[in-house]
Amino acid sequence: MSDEANPFESLQEQIDDAAAYLDVAPDVINRLKYPQRILETNLSVQMDDGTVDVFQAFRSQFNGDRGPYKGGIRYHPNVSRDEVKALSGWMVYKCAVVDIPYGGGKGGIVIDPSEHSESELERITRAFATELRPLIGEDRDIPAPDVNTGQREMNWIKDTYETLEGTTAPGVITGKAPDSGGSAGRVEATGRSTMLTAREAFDYLDKDIDGATVAVQGYGNAGWIAANLIDELGANVVAVSDSSGGIYKEGGFDPKAVKEAKNESGSVTSYDDYDEELSNEELLTLDVDLLVPAALENAIDGDLAQDVQADVVVEAANGPLTPDADDVLTERDVSVFPDILANAGGVTVSYFEWVQNRQRFYWTEERVNDELERIIVDAFENIVDAYESKDLPNFRTAAYVVAIERVAKAYQQSGNWP
Ligand code: NAD
């Protein structure tokens, strides 16, 4: 994985690339390239042995022109101010491209959660929630899960907020467990929109998804669900990986069996029914019909992009391609369907969760999945329309063109104040 590209600079470059095709004034575009505010805090938390440790944490509120800030909370040793800024900006354009009424935010703690007990993680999470309390709220900023966080952390944040505020406000955070106000279908939503994007992409490109070969980098929430649902379309998941490495099987894996092995031992490489082990680089450059990067940003840089052999790339992760990689793949006619569309299922079903929380009326999983499909298919069509009608170089630029136009309109309709 390259650590050369600064994700915040990548975001700004993506905005500039799209702005070249938009009739939006340069001062408005400039305003859309920077976060509105960032909380940086150092959480001091007592460890199980009685000592106190300090954890750096961030929350970036990038843009609220279309609604409350919205975006996940990541626990990872590489979390940084610029990473959080980039991820919060991607959320703005993701919410706009699927046309849900949110702005964008993102947060994170610099931590390796595998080094901490559950009780330490609970105290760290509650300390962060206490710092976040003045900034978040059902109508202000609504966090959600991201890498290394899930229902457990969301439930702790909701409980901390509600206890301190002396109220019930399940819509202050999404991605909760169903018994704590979570939505049916939320856990699968990111993988589901990745599958829907892949299905629509193959249809649009006149390729058959049934029998297509697929490589998936990253086998966490987004990657494994995407692998499983794409397999259900008849495709063959021939390679998977996680941070322990990758495995290849010519006849295709049973995604559920690989997931069970990973649940038991913590890694996909412990699954024993494979033909070959692969490095992550080998996985990313396999000759497959579809490549799904579902790990972290900057997985493919300009150099590696020269060796990518997949025909179609559908980004489940946020920012897995550097701008250089994008240029190379555009040049080489590889069709890349961007993160802000492909993984937007997570935030879309978070939106459904928030709607259900506020109405205190809960939907069936079937309704959630049907509404999600409608939103992703509509967004896909809007992107393809922009791509064709404006003769755009790739689908990422098309997605930003659609999204920036919407955010700029909302900003201009409200006016600049004070
Ligand atoms: P996760 O923690 O559940 O899984 C991440 C996976 O990536 C793990 O299997 C990990 O081992 C693997 N990984 C890490 N480094 C790797 C490397 N160098 N090579 C190969 N694999 C590696 O996280 P997740 O929630 O699935 O998130 C993955 C990506 O999807 C992130 O970019 C995240 O921002 C994005 N995303 C997630 C959601 C969601 O709802 N979970 C929504 C939108 C976007």
Side-chain angles (χ1 to χ4, degrees):
M1 190 169 302
S2 155
D3 54 8
E4 283 161 28
N6 174 324
F8 181 55
E9 288 168 11
S10 300
L11 164 77
Q12 294 191 318
E13 203 171 323
Q14 289 160 349
I15 295 171
D16 284 335
D17 285 350
Y21 299 94
L22 276 165
D23 189 17
V24 177
D27 57 340
V28 174
I29 293 292
N30 190 47
R31 181 184 172 279
L32 300 180
K33 285 166 61 177
Y34 297 91
Q36 235 161 320
R37 68 181 67 83
I38 301 165
L39 168 77
E40 179 173 345
T41 175
N42 292 294
L43 311 169
S44 60
V45 182
Q46 192 165 35
M47 299 292 97
D48 293 342
D49 65 4
T51 60
V52 169
D53 215 340
V54 176
F55 301 89
Q56 195 182 25
F58 304 94
R59 180 77 185 169
S60 167
Q61 297 182 330
F62 200 96
N63 179 294
D65 290 330
R66 287 172 42 89
Y69 308 101
K70 182 90 191 84
I73 291 181
R74 175 175 293 198
Y75 289 1
H76 197 277
N78 295 344
V79 163
S80 68
R81 196 178 176 91
D82 272 359
E83 184 189 61
V84 169
K85 278 158 67 177
L87 289 163
S88 65
W90 283 322
M91 285 305 299
V92 176
Y93 301 105
K94 187 180 302 183
C95 293
V97 92
V98 287
D99 208 5
I100 58 176
Y102 286 140
K106 202 81 175 194
I109 305 182
V110 184
I111 186 173
D112 180 350
S114 68
E115 291 177 355
H116 295 276
S117 67
E118 182 162 1
S119 65
E120 287 178 352
L121 287 173
E122 178 170 352
R123 289 194 293 280
I124 293 162
T125 304
R126 288 187 187 275
F128 191 31
T130 306
E131 290 294 326
L132 289 174
R133 178 170 73 129
L135 296 178
I136 62 176
E138 290 185 324
D139 290 312
R140 288 181 180 179
D141 182 354
I142 305 138
D146 192 68
V147 174
N148 290 327
T149 61
Q151 293 180 344
R152 183 182 66 172
E153 289 75 15
M154 301 306 109
N155 298 345
W156 288 331
I157 294 174
K158 166 182 168 280
D159 182 65
T160 308
Y161 181 86
E162 289 182 333
T163 305
L164 293 172
E165 292 285 325
T167 188
T168 57
V172 69
I173 195 154
T174 58
K176 303 176 293 291
D179 290 322
S180 296
S183 175
R186 173 62 183 87
V187 171
E188 297 80 21
T190 304
R192 183 169 292 277
S193 62
T194 305
M195 173 276 285
L196 292 167
T197 302
R199 187 190 75 187
E200 295 302 300
F202 272 61
D203 189 44
Y204 175 71
L205 298 168
D206 230 356
K207 291 176 185 288
D208 216 348
I209 191 100
D210 191 3
T213 52
V214 186
V216 180
Q217 183 214 24
Y219 216 63
N221 173 272
W224 113 259
I225 304 274
N228 194 43
L229 294 175
I230 292 170
D231 173 79
E232 284 176 10
L233 295 177
N236 249 353
V237 178
V238 294
V240 296
S241 72
D242 61 18
S243 43
S244 71
I247 48 178
Y248 173 81
K249 187 177 175 190
E250 196 184 345
F253 290 108
D254 169 1
K256 286 196 186 82
V258 178
K259 176 63 177 164
E260 276 162 26
K262 181 170 165 74
N263 283 349
E264 270 169 35
S265 72
S267 64
V268 295
T269 45
S270 67
Y271 183 67
D272 48 16
D273 187 13
Y274 60 82
D275 298 336
E276 271 178 62
E277 286 202 13
L278 294 173
S279 68
N280 257 296
E281 201 164 301
E282 286 167 333
L283 179 137
L284 294 167
T285 55
L286 270 181
D287 187 5
V288 285
D289 299 311
L290 170 64
L291 173 64
V292 180
L296 294 170
E297 50 278 13
N298 293 345
I300 303 178
D301 62 13
D303 286 342
L304 195 62
Q306 299 284 0
D307 299 327
V308 167
Q309 294 187 70
D311 300 322
V312 181
V313 177
V314 173
E315 297 180 332
N318 283 309
L321 270 58
T322 65
D324 285 352
D326 241 354
D327 291 346
V328 170
L329 294 180
T330 300
E331 180 82 5
R332 294 187 46 225
D333 258 347
V334 176
S335 301
V336 176
F337 291 85
D339 46 7
I340 61 169
L341 167 70
N343 69 30
V347 74
T348 303
V349 177
S350 274
Y351 165 57
F352 299 159
E353 181 175 330
W354 178 79
V355 167
Q356 295 170 75
N357 289 155
R358 310 209 64 182
Q359 297 187 338
R360 304 294 206 261
F361 177 76
Y362 288 84
W363 303 357
T364 61
E365 185 166 355
E366 192 186 4
R367 176 167 177 196
V368 168
N369 290 345
D370 286 352
E371 298 271 3
L372 174 62
E373 178 162 357
R374 178 182 59 78
I375 285 185
I376 298 297
V377 171
D378 280 358
F380 187 95
E381 284 170 4
N382 285 333
I383 290 170
V384 163
D385 278 355
Y387 173 77
E388 290 179 356
S389 65
K390 294 186 193 288
D391 198 16
L392 298 175
N394 56 45
F395 298 104
R396 187 184 319 279
T397 301
Y400 276 92
V401 161
V402 170
I404 292 172
E405 206 157 38
R406 288 180 179 156
V407 181
K409 265 191 199 153
Y411 166 62
Q412 286 169 314
Q413 284 161 6
S414 302
N416 202 63
W417 189 85

